[in-house]
């Protein structure tokens, strides 16, 4: 495998005890794309993510990320978890939080191209928070806080950005602004974004990885209301910010 492949899974299966979660997963993803991982609760999205990050080992098969094992590729990955635990009374600035993303003790970590402070400022600029660098991080709005954690993930200068529910609980306007930010970032690095929501903003992403014990890859052109109804096993409404597609396939 070469760096032209972002991710390769070959015959990957995983179970918690006698409960199978992923079954015979074969998947190849290209680099330099914005890809959405979607699926129902309990379908295996989080498990697949942990396998990609090297936090779990597959029971069978192999996984490579950017030509390396997941463990060896960790220094190439910036990760934003769904739930970030933090103490709002902790006396840290926005810049302090982003600098945390520059700290690593991983063996084999490549030499950074610049100092931690320069990388932190660059990451803040990438997410549009440069003017708030000296503000207490606890004073940020929900949308700004989400951008802060994206900046923290960017501060390590990753080749792959992995985000778990980055727009959860955001209003529509801030959600769309976040997607626009991520689309811009995807011009320079690969992005995997996990979501369990049936809402799908197809103009922002190029492929969707559907995870429901088995895994399949689809171009966004294939994703419509009927596709998601079959995938989730129930009627859903596909929501885009530029139009709505209903269960009957008609557009607003």
């Amino acid at each position: 495998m070469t760096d032209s492949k972002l991710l390769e899974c070959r015959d990957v299966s995983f179970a918690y005890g006698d409960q199978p979660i992923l079954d015979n997963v074969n998947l190849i993803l290209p680099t330099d794309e914005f890809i959405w991982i979607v699926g129902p609760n309990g379908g295996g999205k989080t498990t697949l993510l942990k396998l990609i990050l090297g936090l779990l080992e597959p029971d069978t098969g192999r996984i490579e990320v950017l030509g390396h094992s997941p463990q060896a590729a960790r220094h190439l990955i910036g990760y934003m978890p769904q739930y970030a635990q933090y103490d709002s009374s902790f006396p840290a600035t926005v810049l302090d939080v982003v600098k945390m993303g520059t700290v690593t003790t991983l063996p084999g970590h490549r030499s950074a191209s610049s100092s931690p402070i320069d990388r932190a400022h660059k990451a803040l600029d990438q997410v549009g928070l440069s003017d708030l660098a000296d503000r207490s991080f606890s004073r940020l709005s929900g949308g700004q806080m989400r951008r802060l954690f994206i900046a923290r993930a960017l501060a390590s200068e990753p080749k792959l950005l992995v985000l778990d529910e980055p727009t959860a609980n955001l209003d529509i306007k801030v959600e769309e602004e976040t997607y626009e930010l991520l689309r811009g970032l995807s011009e320079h690095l690969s992005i995997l974004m996990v979501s369990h929501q049936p809402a799908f903003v197809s103009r922002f992403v190029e492929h969707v990885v559907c995870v429901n014990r088995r895994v399949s890859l689809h171009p966004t052109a294939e994703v419509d209301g009927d596709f998601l109804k079959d995938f989730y096993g129930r009627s859903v409404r596909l929501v885009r910010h530029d139009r709505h597609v209903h269960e009957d396939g008609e557009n607003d």
Side-chain angles (χ1 to χ4, degrees), residues 116-190:
I117 188 69
D118 288 340
R119 282 180 281 146
H121 278 295
K122 177 183 176 181
L124 283 173
D125 184 60
Q126 287 177 291
V127 302
L129 292 180
S130 291
D131 58 334
L132 302 180
D134 296 326
R135 177 179 293 187
S136 170
F137 82 98
S138 62
R139 293 177 55 203
L140 298 183
S141 67
Q144 290 171 335
M145 190 70 76
R146 216 62 59 91
R147 285 174 178 253
L148 173 64
F149 292 133
I150 293 173
R152 185 177 65 179
L154 291 171
S156 64
E157 298 184 328
K159 291 186 176 181
L160 167 62
L161 183 61
V162 177
L163 307 109
D164 193 355
E165 304 284 357
T167 62
N169 304 315
L170 296 180
D171 62 43
I172 291 177
K173 180 177 183 297
V174 178
E175 182 181 15
E176 185 164 6
E177 290 172 350
T178 304
Y179 291 141
E180 287 283 9
L181 167 65
L182 294 174
R183 179 168 64 175
L185 293 173
S186 70
E187 295 176 2
H188 308 288
L189 78 165
S190 304

Side-chain angles (χ1 to χ4, degrees), residues 8 10 23 38 53 58 73 75 93 119 126 142 151 170 177 185 190 193 195 198 202 235:
E8 182 173 4
R10 292 294 185 189
D23 182 22
V38 65
L53 294 172
H75 67 285
T93 66
R119 282 180 281 146
Q126 287 177 291
L170 296 180
E177 290 172 350
L185 293 173
S190 304
M193 180 172 69
S195 176
S202 63
S235 295

Side-chain angles (χ1 to χ4, degrees), residues 15-228:
Y16 289 107
D18 59 358
Q19 178 63 42
I21 304 298
L22 294 171
D23 182 22
N24 195 34
V25 173
N26 287 280
L27 178 67
I28 295 177
L29 298 180
T31 57
D32 302 321
E33 285 198 10
F34 186 2
I35 299 171
W36 201 331
I37 301 177
V38 65
N41 287 332
K45 297 188 312 303
T46 298
T47 297
L48 178 62
L49 189 64
K50 289 181 178 180
L51 289 167
I52 293 171
L53 294 172
L55 302 177
L56 293 175
E57 293 275 359
D59 294 331
T60 64
R62 65 180 179 88
I63 299 174
E64 291 187 353
V65 182
L66 292 167
H68 306 277
S69 70
Q71 292 80 6
R74 285 177 182 167
H75 67 285
L76 303 174
I77 301 173
Y79 174 53
M80 175 186 162
Q82 179 179 1
Y83 301 108
Q85 300 291 331
Y86 62 90
D87 181 355
S88 61
S89 66
F90 188 75
T93 66
V94 167
L95 181 61
D96 291 333
V97 173
V98 178
K99 284 169 61 179
M100 296 175 187
T102 69
V103 177
T104 180
T105 57
L106 293 175
H109 183 70
R110 70 191 191 285
S111 297
S113 62
S114 56
S115 68
I117 188 69
D118 288 340
R119 282 180 281 146
H121 278 295
K122 177 183 176 181
L124 283 173
D125 184 60
Q126 287 177 291
V127 302
L129 292 180
S130 291
D131 58 334
L132 302 180
D134 296 326
R135 177 179 293 187
S136 170
F137 82 98
S138 62
R139 293 177 55 203
L140 298 183
S141 67
Q144 290 171 335
M145 190 70 76
R146 216 62 59 91
R147 285 174 178 253
L148 173 64
F149 292 133
I150 293 173
R152 185 177 65 179
L154 291 171
S156 64
E157 298 184 328
K159 291 186 176 181
L160 167 62
L161 183 61
V162 177
L163 307 109
D164 193 355
E165 304 284 357
T167 62
N169 304 315
L170 296 180
D171 62 43
I172 291 177
K173 180 177 183 297
V174 178
E175 182 181 15
E176 185 164 6
E177 290 172 350
T178 304
Y179 291 141
E180 287 283 9
L181 167 65
L182 294 174
R183 179 168 64 175
L185 293 173
S186 70
E187 295 176 2
H188 308 288
L189 78 165
S190 304
I191 296 180
L192 288 179
M193 180 172 69
V194 178
S195 176
H196 72 275
Q197 299 291 342
F200 199 93
V201 189
S202 63
R203 73 181 186 272
F204 294 102
V205 298
E206 297 164 86
H207 286 90
V208 54
V209 176
C210 297
V211 184
N212 192 1
R213 186 165 170 182
R214 292 183 177 271
V215 174
S216 57
L217 177 67
H218 303 271
T220 55
E222 294 181 1
V223 180
D224 56 19
D226 290 335
F227 175 93
L228 290 173

